[in-house]
Amino acid sequence: MSPLPDNPDALYGDVIMDHYRSPRHRAPLPNADVEAEEFNPFCGDRATLQLRLGPTHGNAVSIQDVSALAEGCSIIQASASLLADNLQGRTVEQAADLSQLFRDLMQGKPLPSVALDELGDLEALEVVRQYPVRIKCALLPWVALEEGLRRLGRRSV
Ligand code: ZN
């Protein structure tokens, strides 16, 4: 296993370090429709995700606002910020699809170029695969998203 970098700047790259240093969408949403929190006791990471839903177009429910608050290492903070950035303006269904694509990326599955286009700057997190214990950190905000979407699905049934 690769050692964990003490100074990850050079190893993780500009996109990750930018989101780590200036995380986006951290402010809590006062009237969230969906909320989920995940905790990783192994490294003390915590991710809290909130969504505020917008108007429904046909069967599609849009995501109007996202808040992703992460505490812990640089990777979970960067991942939460990138997640929030990328959910803005998507529908709930597109968010679920994106989450699956991101899992595939982190698990090293070969992805077609159309999937990589869809992932956009999230692809920067692929570097984390070189530090296997950190993969969980990158995924934790997405686990919170999936839990939130599950609760939403149950509620609307
Ligand atoms: Zn971590």
Side-chain angles (χ1 to χ4, degrees):
M1 185 162 56
S2 313
L4 297 177
D6 287 332
N7 176 7
D9 299 36
L11 296 155
Y12 287 154
D14 292 344
V15 173
I16 291 180
M17 291 318 293
D18 178 42
H19 279 266
Y20 165 52
R21 293 204 181 98
S22 333
R24 279 68 143 173
H25 309 288
R26 282 173 63 91
L29 297 177
N31 299 309
D33 296 297
V34 180
E35 182 168 332
E37 184 178 287
E38 292 292 330
F39 180 61
N40 177 2
F42 177 72
C43 69
D45 285 347
R46 187 183 298 277
T48 308
L49 186 89
Q50 293 177 307
L51 304 177
R52 191 157 52 205
L53 303 178
T56 305
H57 305 287
N59 289 326
V61 180
S62 61
I63 295 172
Q64 199 159 49
D65 269 311
V66 182
S67 164
L69 185 61
E71 295 162 36
C73 64
S74 52
I75 288 303
I76 188 173
Q77 296 196 43
S79 183
S81 176
L82 278 157
L83 175 153
D85 244 9
N86 277 276
L87 285 193
Q88 214 80 33
R90 291 188 192 248
T91 66
V92 166
E93 192 175 51
Q94 287 168 339
D97 289 347
L98 187 68
S99 190
Q100 185 57 55
L101 274 185
F102 184 71
R103 270 185 186 280
D104 290 348
L105 177 80
M106 295 312 292
Q107 285 162 6
K109 293 198 183 145
L111 293 172
S113 61
V114 55
L116 293 176
D117 287 349
E118 189 69 15
L119 285 164
D121 57 5
L122 288 168
E123 201 187 342
L125 285 160
E126 192 181 13
V127 68
V128 175
R129 297 193 58 241
Q130 294 170 38
Y131 312 99
V133 305
R134 288 278 182 257
I135 292 177
K136 245 189 164 158
C137 305
L139 283 174
L140 203 67
W142 299 83
V143 175
L145 170 65
E146 288 162 0
E147 176 57 28
L149 294 179
R150 253 193 303 277
R151 286 181 199 164
L152 184 67
R154 274 203 297 272
R155 206 169 53 195
S156 63
V157 169

